Amino acid sequence: MSDSISRLEDELDGDTLHEECGVFGILGHPDAATLTALGLHALQHRGQEAAGIVSFDGKQFRAEKHMGLVGDHYTNPATLAKLPGEMAIGHTRYSTTGEVALRNVQPLFAELEVGGIAIAHNGNFTNGLTLRRQIISTGAICQSTSDTEVVLHLIARSRHSSTTDRFIDAIRQMEGGYSMVALTRTKLIAARDPIGIRPLVMGELDGKPIFCSETCALDIIGAKFVRDVENGEVIICETQPDGTISIESRKPARPEPERLCLFEYVYFARPDSVVGGRSVYVARKNMGINLAKEAPVEGDVVVPVPDGGTPAALGYAQQSGIPFEYGIIRNHYVGRTFIEPTQQIRAFGVKLKHSANRAMIAGKRVILVDDSIVRGTTSVKIVQMIREAGAKEVHIRVASPMIFHPDFYGIDTPDADKLLANQYVDAEAMAKYIGCDSLAFLSINGLYEAVGGEKRNNSKPQFTDHYFTGDYPTRLLDKDGEAMGNKLSVMVSHG
């Protein structure tokens, strides 16, 4: 990729948060790979850089990994025909650790003393680099820059005899936020981090177990939702000699309270998903309702910043009585790398993705509702576009609190000094930079009430919310040891 194209993509995408990935796994179904591909398609919003599937046909493991979107590769019957077997796991990726290269595309596979194992995970280990350096110092060779590979090494080094015990031994050494699926010759294993930062659900199709990041992946294949995988829980599904499937649950001796990531509700999860027993759509609409109560403003029309701001804008309009209108139309088919990135093209900025609906904006006081503001650069362009379309006033209302702190659990956030909230003293100063007439954010208690129905318990927070509050729920071993973010000295790959 040329530097000029990279700059164009940074301009278009650099002001949004990205989730690392989505996972899917199924055991005992004759269409395992096809169902996995469909599940990954439903989880595409969690990562668009690459996708991979590993299956086992009773004799050998088979893998298909590709850069790009799920639909670009796994709709081809010839590709799926290369993945026979009744068990498969898959992964769709947006990288927060590790370079963008085919060798980092999950699931990762290793042949161990106890047999082959493939692993895919969503999230980030906060001690991954620390452990990597420890195992390299003892002679290990790492082929990727993905911290998932560390888990494979720990499994290989475990002194336990069974794959299950080795897997549990390995993940008990990992810190951070993660959900994970693994595939052996007979087992599908699912695991979730001790406080449940990242989501993972269990489903069932034709009596066969499924694990995936969100319920929308169950819906697309007509599977039944069984339950959430509990925080700290490991579930082992194993095919028995008679063809039946046994299901075993292992839970920590001293379980911790669950603290789901609030950004799953604010931004990451699909609106039609149910996360932690709560409808994401309802939570986002509640955010808009609470925002209208906390930060009312006179206006003629409530306009969402698509697509993330739409449910909150509906809630804001409902509570305020101000009409909801699609004042911004999103272009879902924008192309990037085919465009010659001249300065003139770069100047189009956000217009490549969004267009003002002049008929709904001209001469009106516009209330723009967005789900979050990261660096503010996109907000500047959207406000300018709305004003050029003839808006009399532009007021921004954000359905989440100000973001002050970076994330280390699988969300790709800028450094703290690049966050808008850390560059200006208050919302009034931010509004001046963005160019809007007023700017207001939802309070942390307003967000908690929208999602969980009660205010934040400051002594024992119900959710993971460090990006707003600075209250990190785990140790940050890599960061505190100044390992987090340091580059790994590996060969650059163009494959």
Side-chain angles (χ1 to χ4, degrees):
M1 183 185 297
S2 70
D3 289 342
S4 53
I5 291 177
S6 179
R7 286 196 299 271
L8 175 62
E9 294 190 355
D10 285 345
E11 181 151 341
L12 295 179
D13 288 336
D15 196 26
T16 58
L17 299 175
H18 293 281
E19 172 67 43
E20 185 175 4
C21 55
V23 297
F24 186 98
I26 185 168
L27 178 67
H29 200 287
D31 298 318
T34 300
L35 293 170
T36 299
L38 287 167
L40 293 181
H41 180 75
L43 298 172
Q44 187 74 85
H45 59 287
R46 300 186 74 89
Q48 299 88 45
E49 283 183 355
I53 297 175
V54 169
S55 70
F56 182 68
D57 63 3
K59 294 182 179 179
Q60 66 182 106
F61 290 88
R62 300 173 186 270
E64 281 287 320
K65 300 181 181 183
H66 299 276
M67 306 302 294
L69 302 178
V70 175
D72 292 341
H73 304 285
Y74 297 98
T75 52
N76 186 345
T79 300
L80 293 172
K82 298 176 184 177
L83 296 165
E86 296 189 348
M87 51 199 302
I89 62 172
H91 183 270
T92 184
R93 180 175 193 263
Y94 179 88
S95 63
T96 57
T97 60
E99 62 175 330
V100 181
L102 196 58
R103 68 176 170 211
N104 286 328
V105 179
Q106 298 180 43
L108 295 186
F109 174 81
E111 188 68 48
L112 307 177
E113 179 189 3
V114 290
I117 185 169
I119 293 179
H121 98 274
N122 164 32
N124 209 50
F125 302 126
T126 54
N127 64 339
L129 283 175
T130 301
L131 288 171
R132 174 186 289 268
R133 286 175 177 159
Q134 290 175 3
I135 63 176
I136 288 176
S137 69
T138 61
I141 298 173
C142 291
Q143 294 293 315
S144 76
T145 56
S146 170
D147 53 8
T148 312
E149 188 175 11
V150 174
V151 181
L152 290 175
H153 279 283
L154 293 176
I155 293 172
R157 289 161 178 255
S158 174
R159 297 184 181 275
H160 291 279
S161 57
S162 75
T163 309
T164 298
D165 290 334
R166 286 181 175 224
F167 178 85
I168 293 173
D169 182 30
I171 64 167
R172 293 291 184 249
Q173 299 176 59
M174 309 306 299
E175 300 179 18
Y178 60 85
S179 59
M180 188 179 301
V181 291
L183 193 70
T184 74
R185 291 173 178 270
T186 59
K187 300 172 184 175
L188 173 63
I189 306 173
R192 197 164 167 225
D193 68 79
I195 61 172
I197 297 175
R198 302 264 71 87
L200 189 64
V201 299
M202 183 178 186
E204 179 186 292
L205 180 64
D206 302 329
K208 310 303 181 183
I210 298 170
F211 298 98
C212 52
S213 294
E214 292 183 36
T215 57
C216 62
L218 299 174
D219 296 336
I220 198 173
I221 61 173
K224 173 187 175 184
F225 170 77
V226 176
R227 65 179 179 89
D228 289 300
V229 177
E230 296 180 21
N231 51 298
E233 183 180 19
V234 179
I235 301 178
I236 307 99
C237 304
E238 183 171 13
T239 302
Q240 301 300 313
D242 63 358
T244 61
I245 296 175
S246 65
I247 299 177
E248 178 189 1
S249 171
R250 303 261 195 103
K251 298 179 182 179
R254 297 180 180 178
E256 300 180 52
E258 183 184 64
R259 288 186 63 179
L260 254 167
C261 173
L262 269 179
F263 253 110
E264 292 290 344
Y265 298 100
V266 171
Y267 183 86
F268 294 130
R270 247 175 53 166
D272 55 330
S273 284
V274 175
V275 175
R278 309 172 186 91
S279 164
V280 174
Y281 178 86
V282 170
R284 289 178 185 168
K285 193 172 180 182
N286 288 341
M287 294 173 204
I289 291 172
N290 290 350
L291 185 60
K293 293 176 181 177
E294 293 182 1
V297 63
E298 291 186 6
D300 302 308
V301 62
V302 176
V303 172
V305 177
D307 287 319
T310 301
L314 284 166
Y316 195 101
Q318 177 181 307
Q319 177 63 32
S320 65
I322 300 170
F324 169 96
E325 297 290 353
Y326 283 105
I328 301 173
I329 306 301
R330 182 181 176 187
N331 177 9
H332 290 268
Y333 305 100
V334 62
R336 297 184 298 182
T337 54
F338 73 91
I339 298 173
E340 179 64 28
T342 62
Q343 181 57 45
Q344 183 179 4
I345 292 294
R346 282 198 295 273
F348 290 164
V350 78
K351 292 182 181 179
L352 291 171
K353 284 193 171 180
H354 301 103
S355 299
N357 186 4
R358 186 177 296 270
M360 294 296 104
I361 290 174
K364 296 179 179 178
R365 298 169 296 176
V366 176
I367 303 171
L368 280 177
V369 178
D370 206 349
D371 52 25
S372 57
I373 291 182
V374 184
R375 295 190 306 172
T377 52
T378 299
S379 301
V380 171
K381 294 179 176 63
I382 287 178
V383 169
Q384 181 182 355
M385 181 178 69
I386 295 297
R387 290 200 186 279
E388 289 173 355
K392 187 194 300 184
E393 297 175 9
V394 183
H395 303 273
I396 295 181
R397 294 296 180 266
V398 184
S400 62
M402 294 184 191
I403 301 172
F404 290 99
H405 306 276
D407 179 83
F408 302 105
Y409 303 104
I411 303 174
D412 188 18
T413 50
D415 293 335
D417 60 353
K418 299 292 196 304
L419 295 166
L420 182 69
N422 293 327
Q423 295 180 321
Y424 297 92
V425 295
D426 55 23
E428 185 176 349
M430 291 183 213
K432 186 174 181 181
Y433 161 72
I434 291 172
C436 56
D437 294 282
S438 72
L439 171 66
F441 294 78
L442 183 64
S443 69
I444 190 69
N445 281 331
L447 177 56
Y448 264 76
E449 288 177 339
V451 175
E454 57 186 13
K455 293 181 179 180
R456 185 180 195 267
N457 182 338
N458 294 329
S459 60
K460 293 182 178 180
Q462 305 94 306
F463 298 97
T464 289
D465 60 11
H466 50 276
Y467 20 74
F468 304 131
T469 64
D471 182 359
Y472 290 90
T474 74
R475 296 193 307 168
L476 301 176
L477 193 60
D478 287 346
K479 176 182 179 295
D480 294 340
E482 298 184 351
M484 184 69 71
N486 287 0
K487 291 185 178 180
L488 301 171
S489 55
V490 297
M491 180 177 65
V492 174
S493 172
H494 298 288

